[in-house]
């Protein structure tokens, strides 16, 4: 069996971490959906920067927007992005309908410049939600403290939210608590708890990327600890994710949540993000094969999707060797590896990367705008 389809049978949804006008226009996304291989789409500023700034796919639409009188790069970008998000949402609408709103979502991110501003994040999310006008949209907000506050308020309005840039179990627990608060508030205001959906995007491979380098540095500096240190290489991110999954099981088994579940409320699924393998020494499907389990999502870039289809193996692995994951964490503490500091820094770095991509994108849109204006001058 196609391992992508087997993941769905095991209760995990595969989403595609990619969007581009050409893929939509030529039916590439529609084929993946029709074949049952993907059940959702995520986007971020870096993806749009590559799609719009790195191709001529959008030049015709951009020229039309400019001809209508629009000049602002941010508004020009949003016109292009919203058209793509609507088109992808329409392709996925049958999945959303047939799954009763569990899957079939497309994510669009608020401006990364707002990551530390709760009020502005709420306003931007509300604006994008109404502009796209698709029930299977998910608004992405960062998992900063202001972002989590914004998520709670958006869920309370019945707006679907994808909380992103989660690296630690503590951050995930705060997000889950805020989600439950939001669902309770939505239900108390007369909303149908079954009508709102959310995912918590928990990042994986970036943790190993940083800590593997730290492990090697320390192993070189302290040869007596080298075997114990190197035994952790490539294992910390997966252990972190598996323990977060165990945390989710406990959180959603509590009576407070179960009362909402009886009214149709759905758990906020953990979504594994940053699952493309960056270290060539590791399997290119490591972060897919190791994190398969019910009530989760894995959002994968196209290369990882192709690799897993070709040679991936699908079996329920998230619940495996939880004791081993606890042992990894005990060793992290014993050896003094700075996991908490790394996960905190990765949030800041992630916001910085998205801000950089967003600004590069607007600069590329402005450059194309100027070139098109010169052409008609």
């Amino acid at each position: 069996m196609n391992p992508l389809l087997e993941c769905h049978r095991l209760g995990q949804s595969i989403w595609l971490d990619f969007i581009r006008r050409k893929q939509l226009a030529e039916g590439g996304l529609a084929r993946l959906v029709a074949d049952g291989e993907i059940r959702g789409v995520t986007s971020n500023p870096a993806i749009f920067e590559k799609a719009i700034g790195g191709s001529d796919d959008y030049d015709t639409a951009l020229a039309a927007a400019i001809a209508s009188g629009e000049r602002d790069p941010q508004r020009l970008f949003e016109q292009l992005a919203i058209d793509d998000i609507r088109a992808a949402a329409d392709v996925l609408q049958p999945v959303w309908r047939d799954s009763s709103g569990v899957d079939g979502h497309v994510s669009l991110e608020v401006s990364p410049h707002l990551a530390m501003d709760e009020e502005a994040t709420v306003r931007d999310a509300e604006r994008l939600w109404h502009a796209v006008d698709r029930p299977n949209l998910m608004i992405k907000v960062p998992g900063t403290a202001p972002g989590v506050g914004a998520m709670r308020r958006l869920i309370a309005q019945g707006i679907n939210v994808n909380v992103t840039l989660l690296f630690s179990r503590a951050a995930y627990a705060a997000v889950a608590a805020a989600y439950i608060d939001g669902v309770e508030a939505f239900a108390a205001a007369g909303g149908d708890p079954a009508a709102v959906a959310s995912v918590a995007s928990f990042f994986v491979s970036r943790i190993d990327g940083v800590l593997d380098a730290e492990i090697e540095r320390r192993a070189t500096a302290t040869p007596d600890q080298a075997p114990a240190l190197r035994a952790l290489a490539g294992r910390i991110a997966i252990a972190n994710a598996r323990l977060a999954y165990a945390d989710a099981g406990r959180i959603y088994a509590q009576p407070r949540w179960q009362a909402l579940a009886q009214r149709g409320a759905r758990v906020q699924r953990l979504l594994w993000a940053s699952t493309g393998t960056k270290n060539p020494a590791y399997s290119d499907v490591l972060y897919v094969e190791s994190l398969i389990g019910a009530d989760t999502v894995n959002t994968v870039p196209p290369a990882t999707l192709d690799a897993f289809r070709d040679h991936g193996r699908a079996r329920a692995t998230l619940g495996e060797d939880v004791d081993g994951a606890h042992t990894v964490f005990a060793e992290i503490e014993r050896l003094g590896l700075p996991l908490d500091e790394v996960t905190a820094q990765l949030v800041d770095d992630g916001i910085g990367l998205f801000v950089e991509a967003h600004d590069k994108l607007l600069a590329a849109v402005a450059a194309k705008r100027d070139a098109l204006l010169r052409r008609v001058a």
Side-chain angles (χ1 to χ4, degrees):
M1 178 180 284
N2 182 331
L4 295 164
L5 304 184
E6 183 66 5
C7 282
H8 299 313
R9 191 188 69 78
L10 292 167
Q12 180 175 80
S13 298
I14 302 296
W15 290 6
L16 183 66
D17 194 29
F18 181 80
I19 192 166
R20 184 167 172 173
R21 182 71 53 94
K22 185 176 182 179
Q23 177 208 38
L24 291 163
E26 295 182 352
L29 179 64
R31 285 190 293 275
L32 290 171
V33 173
D35 291 344
E37 292 191 339
I38 67 162
R39 298 179 63 81
V41 169
T42 51
S43 68
N44 60 49
I47 288 172
F48 274 117
E49 190 273 324
K50 291 176 184 175
I52 297 174
S55 76
D56 59 4
D57 295 0
Y58 297 82
D59 288 4
T60 299
L62 187 59
I66 292 168
S68 72
E70 185 57 72
R71 296 292 184 272
D72 181 74
Q74 177 66 37
R75 289 194 290 270
L76 287 168
F77 156 65
E78 284 192 0
Q79 287 185 32
L80 301 176
I82 287 171
D83 284 348
D84 277 6
I85 295 295
R86 285 175 177 161
D90 291 345
V91 170
L92 283 156
Q93 199 276 338
V95 177
W96 178 80
R97 181 195 63 226
D98 294 345
S99 68
S100 299
V102 173
D103 276 317
H105 294 97
V106 184
S107 295
L108 177 63
E109 192 147 358
V110 297
S111 169
H113 286 281
L114 307 178
M116 301 308 295
D117 189 330
E118 179 177 326
E119 291 294 332
T121 295
V122 171
R123 289 195 301 270
D124 204 40
E126 292 170 341
R127 181 180 63 82
L128 292 172
W129 175 259
H130 293 297
V132 174
D133 193 25
R134 295 294 188 275
N136 52 332
L137 173 68
M138 273 192 174
I139 300 294
K140 286 180 80 172
V141 302
T144 57
V148 173
M151 182 270 290
R152 180 187 294 108
R153 294 165 60 182
L154 294 167
I155 292 294
Q157 297 182 54
I159 294 176
N160 304 324
V161 178
N162 176 345
V163 186
T164 189
L165 289 176
L166 302 178
F167 292 90
S168 73
R169 293 166 62 198
Y172 166 66
V175 166
Y179 172 68
I180 295 171
D181 289 345
V183 175
E184 282 184 334
F186 184 54
D192 178 3
V196 65
S198 183
V199 294
S201 293
F202 198 91
F203 280 54
V204 187
S205 67
R206 294 186 194 180
I207 292 174
D208 281 343
V210 175
L211 284 174
D212 282 1
E214 177 66 8
I215 284 168
E216 190 55 36
R217 186 188 70 78
R218 292 192 181 198
T220 301
T222 55
D224 59 315
Q225 291 188 330
L229 284 162
R230 288 180 173 135
L232 294 175
R235 298 177 62 199
I236 294 173
I238 290 168
N240 193 40
R242 286 180 173 175
L243 293 180
Y245 184 66
D247 294 339
R250 288 188 292 271
I251 290 168
Y252 290 106
Q254 295 173 359
R256 180 185 174 200
W257 174 257
Q258 288 302 311
L260 290 167
Q262 289 174 8
R263 299 177 60 184
R266 292 191 289 262
V267 301
Q268 181 189 51
R269 290 183 295 174
L270 274 161
L271 177 150
W272 311 123
S274 184
T275 52
T277 304
K278 297 173 176 60
N279 187 333
Y282 300 156
S283 164
D284 56 358
V285 293
L286 173 67
Y287 299 110
V288 183
E289 288 185 339
S290 303
L291 300 174
I292 299 171
D295 292 324
T296 60
V297 179
N298 198 321
T299 186
V300 298
T304 304
L305 185 82
D306 292 341
F308 190 69
R309 182 197 300 112
D310 177 68
H311 52 266
R313 294 178 297 171
R315 58 188 181 85
T317 50
L318 266 172
E320 290 183 351
D321 198 20
V322 175
D323 288 343
H326 283 293
T327 298
V328 167
F329 267 65
E331 282 292 274
I332 289 169
E333 184 174 358
R334 184 180 72 84
L335 294 166
L337 287 172
L339 177 60
D340 291 343
E341 292 86 344
V342 166
T343 55
Q345 185 61 48
L346 283 169
V347 176
D348 293 339
D349 292 348
I351 292 168
L353 289 169
F354 283 164
V355 165
E356 180 183 354
H358 180 266
D359 291 349
K360 284 176 62 180
L361 166 61
L362 296 190
V365 170
K368 288 193 172 190
R369 174 203 61 194
D370 294 345
L372 288 166
L373 287 171
R374 285 194 299 271
R375 196 176 302 168
V376 298

